[in-house]
Amino acid sequence: MRNWKVTKLGNPREVLELQDHSRPSIQEGEILIEVEASSLNFFDILLCQGKYQEKPPIPFTPGAEISGVIREIGKNTQLKVGQRVIATPPLPDGGLSEWVSVPEESVYPIVDSMAATDAVAMFITYQTSYYGLYYRGNLQKGEVLLVHAGAGGVGSAAIQLGKARGAKVIATAGGPDKVQICKNLGADIAIDYIMDDFVEVVKSETNGRGADVIYDPVGADVFDRSRKCIAFDGRLLVIGFAGGRIPEAPVNHALIKNYSIVGVHWGLFARLHPSKVREIHADLMRLYDEKSICPLIYQAYDFREVPDALEILADRKTYGKLIVKP
């Protein structure tokens, strides 16, 4: 089989090597999966550069999400050969491989009718947005949700999940093409933040009240500006810092407007509450089957194009998810 190995630290194009290896063996409680698709995430770039919080020993294979078919099962497993699944291969043997061996607890069944590309694009982004909006943000029907970076992976999931909950969704994105993507995803209002002040638009659309829940994967100035258009009793969800700068908030402002600044660390939640992750997965499968959600995919690349695809992802000019097919 082929897999991608990081042989030294640096930019993906410089450090990734496509190598041939024997198929992995499985132990008790493990599953052997033939990979149909792998997803690419920005943290794969950081892993290659040695800048991510996890620093696996070199050489290692990046890739946090795969979809595929179970070809072999170890003893004491509940899954079956032939089942189609999503899996999250643990480092150092990640998912940018044609075959993976993973513990059963890292495997999530999917329906046969789900496309491999949809399946692999669903896990981290939709789990994060579901946990953020429904658990941490307590988003309710009829509330106003402001989603930043709405054409991105987690942002596009948040728009769809917001609409599925019955919220009025306002989304921001950069440029007319991405604004149109947000509208296509179901956003009631889509704002080009390059041309318009989203604070004023949100105030106008809510008669000055502001957004009940703000979903912010950007940080930096976007976070600072979001505090100016959050409603009384609002929840400002901190998803990440794609904007670079980690902002600080004057807590007296949170006191005066009575809003909450809420951290959303899905990764730790998943480790502490794996049964809850499975409950979320089951509900996401229901929403997908009802056609309430469907992953936004930028492009599916050939397995040999992984360095090229990661370079494109690094430029931050893409939308949705980037997928690789062996």
Side-chain angles (χ1 to χ4, degrees), residues 131-133 136-139 143-148 198-199 210-241 247-251 253-254 257-265:
Y131 173 61
L133 293 177
R136 302 292 288 148
N138 193 29
L139 180 67
E143 288 191 315
V144 176
L145 167 65
L146 172 61
V147 177
H148 290 301
F198 72 80
V199 174
D212 299 289
V213 177
I214 299 179
Y215 186 93
D216 179 20
V218 181
D221 294 344
V222 168
F223 177 90
D224 297 337
R225 298 287 293 160
S226 293
R227 293 190 295 104
K228 299 181 181 299
C229 62
I230 192 166
F232 187 83
D233 278 343
R235 289 83 77 197
L236 205 172
L237 306 182
V238 180
I239 311 298
F241 310 104
E248 297 180 359
V251 293
H253 190 256
K257 292 192 70 175
N258 208 52
Y259 64 86
S260 303
I261 299 170
V262 184
V264 179
H265 187 177

Side-chain angles (χ1 to χ4, degrees), residues 284-303:
L284 288 171
M285 293 299 99
R286 175 187 65 82
L287 290 168
Y288 179 87
D289 190 53
E290 294 174 353
K291 298 186 177 3
S292 295
I293 60 175
C294 186
L296 175 65
I297 296 173
Y298 177 75
Q299 188 171 326
Y301 293 87
D302 183 87
F303 195 64

Side-chain angles (χ1 to χ4, degrees), residues 41 43 52 64-65 88 121-139 145 147 152-159 161-162 213-218 237-241 262-270 276-277 280-281 284 293 321:
N41 293 284
F43 56 75
Y52 195 57
E65 304 163 283
T88 55
M122 281 200 66
F123 196 75
I124 292 177
T125 51
Y126 281 83
Q127 283 271 346
T128 299
S129 294
Y130 190 110
Y131 173 61
L133 293 177
Y134 296 178
Y135 281 60
R136 302 292 288 148
N138 193 29
L139 180 67
L145 167 65
V147 177
V154 291
S156 59
I159 290 174
L161 289 170
V213 177
I214 299 179
Y215 186 93
D216 179 20
V218 181
L237 306 182
V238 180
I239 311 298
F241 310 104
V262 184
V264 179
H265 187 177
W266 174 79
L268 183 56
F269 164 78
K276 294 291 185 183
V277 173
I280 293 173
H281 175 71
L284 288 171
I293 60 175
K321 294 279 284 188

